[in-house]
Amino acid sequence: LGGLYYDGHGLPQDYTQAALWYRKAAEQGDAAAQSNLGLMYVGGRGVPKDASEAARWFRKAAEQSLAVAQFSLGTLYYDGSGVPQNSAQAAIWYRKAAEQGNPEAQDELGGLYEFGRGVPQNDAQAALWFRKAAEQGDAKAQWELGADYASGQGVPQDYAEAYFWLDLAAASTFDRVKPEDATRVREGAT
């Protein structure tokens, strides 16, 4: 019922009612409702904006192995929002979600490895996680993987692979890469 109120499907859109129904289910241990309630606290929709309360609900859902909640909790730790900033904790939660196939978590875990935040710096691990996310269509990860192939960072330098991944990213709505980036790599001018 919370989702119907949230989306306005068959009922008038009402974030306060959505939060009320999500809370009823969340308090009974429903992981999806806990995660949705956490999102409502992040955005201040139907409830006061409160990152600490969001973290509390995300943690409940994350401890039940809900990947999206694990990713969200990892993001709060990375940003220091509602919890103390802690890149190592972010990495733990991102890894849990990434191992379940969450592409956003895979991309973020790749970024942590790339820059050695919360985990030892490891370009090969970064590229591995970027690839997992890229293969699921994550445009940011496609761009990261393409850049890795162009520079030979964590993978053998390969302009054809770089072009392939950058071209996919350019075809998406990801604003960091432009079609001409893929063309430059294809022509060997990185």
Side-chain angles (χ1 to χ4, degrees), residues 56-141:
R56 183 172 84 85
W57 287 109
F58 286 144
R59 181 176 301 283
K60 287 178 181 285
E63 288 173 349
Q64 293 185 66
S65 300
L66 186 66
V68 67
Q70 293 168 336
F71 168 74
S72 296
L73 185 57
T75 299
L76 292 182
Y77 272 111
Y78 185 79
D79 294 339
S81 180
V83 293
Q85 196 288 326
N86 186 324
S87 295
Q89 278 296 308
I92 288 168
W93 290 108
Y94 283 153
R95 179 177 299 282
K96 288 176 187 279
E99 288 174 348
Q100 291 187 67
N102 182 287
E104 295 87 0
Q106 292 167 339
D107 178 60
E108 293 299 327
L109 186 57
L112 294 180
Y113 274 110
E114 182 176 24
F115 296 105
R117 294 186 182 132
V119 293
Q121 195 282 331
N122 185 320
D123 290 334
Q125 279 293 303
L128 179 140
W129 288 108
F130 289 147
R131 175 175 288 282
K132 287 178 184 285
E135 288 174 347
Q136 292 187 71
D138 186 286
K140 183 171 170 269

Side-chain angles (χ1 to χ4, degrees), residues 30-50:
D30 184 278
Q34 291 167 342
S35 183
N36 286 332
L37 190 56
L39 287 171
M40 294 190 80
Y41 276 106
V42 167
R45 291 188 166 185
V47 294
K49 194 171 189 172
D50 186 337

Side-chain angles (χ1 to χ4, degrees), residues 18-29:
L20 180 126
W21 288 102
Y22 280 146
R23 182 178 305 282
K24 287 179 187 258
E27 288 172 348
Q28 293 178 34

